[in-house]
Amino acid sequence: MSANWIQDVAARYRAATGSSRSVLSTARSQRSPQLIVSPFASEVRNLSRAPLVYEEQSLLDEALEILPLERLYSGAEQAAEKDDSWGMQDHLILALLKWFRNDFFTWVNEPACTNCLDSQTAAIGGAAPTHQELADGAARVELYECKSCKTIVRFPRYGHPRKLLSFRKGRCGEWANCFTLLCRSLGSRARWVWCAEDHVWTEVYSETKKRWIHADSCETAWDQPRLYEQGWGKKMSYAIAFSADGATDVSRRYIRTEGGQLPRNRIPESELVMTLQAITRERRIALSASEKADLEHEDSAEERELQSYVSQSTPASTAELRPRETGAGEWTEARGENGKRRY
Ligand SMILES: [Zn+2]
């Protein structure tokens, strides 16, 4: 397929979803004075910068070039004919979810031996990244030793999605990072969701449903926000969604039962609200009045949705009642995510 054709599709879909604006440079230069008190607020601020990379046009173009667009679009079209409760763009992300897990990305518990290939390795600690690993976005490197030939295998944990487009492996951090970029490259508005209890996932805005949809690339999960607490038995305190448009506390979407909630004691609630509001204001500073109004309208609708989860309790769907699929048994058990601690 020609590069021109890809560019056309990119332009068409970004135009259709109105997500081509570039606000980063201005938003960055006009950041308001810092009023940080608690370390958690500072951590949230750092995290909020992660998804800004998904707005870089050259990276979006690179991502688009590796996608099997014809396959994704034809899959989405077929699915849309059978199920019109979701829009075409939603079906496209669903097709992306399946392709990403089945054909593109690989889960790594321990990397395979680079010498004898299929022998198992065992973790022996960490190492400083090389200049190249650092340049490619790996802040840390895990070391493994082959159980048979004793070769030492490096496993760099890449945090930059550009490298992940070719590296194509990792754990939930790498999966969510790369998948969120690909959602953006297909023209969907996407959020990177950080959970304080060591998990990250994606949310994609559905123009058809007019709400943010949970999407977990590790589990091929779509619109199953109770998967973690009901299926995995995961206990959580904070889940915060970040995008180029701001930061939102989405904990109520994912933590809906008393038994699933860990204490929210890392920051006074009022300070968290103020921190997220400040981030959101900064991200939107360069938008037009009507763009800001649209986003504020959307924020209010989301707040009503999140509020409804507190006042009503609906049973989880069958799809949400499943233990974690990616990750070795011991690993998920150690994290309390194997579904045995279900409530
Ligand atoms: Zn070996």
Side-chain angles (χ1 to χ4, degrees), residues 4 31 58 61-63 72 86 95 111 136 148 197 257 281 295 319:
N4 278 347
R31 186 165 290 153
S58 65
D61 290 342
E62 260 179 65
L72 294 176
W86 295 98
D136 287 335
S148 69
E197 284 67 41
T257 61
R281 262 198 312 276
L295 288 174

Side-chain angles (χ1 to χ4, degrees), residues 195-197 235-239 251 255 260-264 266:
C195 167
E197 284 67 41
K235 288 176 183 287
M236 299 174 281
S237 55
Y238 301 92
S251 306
I255 313 167
Q261 185 150 51
L262 287 176
R264 287 167 63 97
R266 293 183 60 184

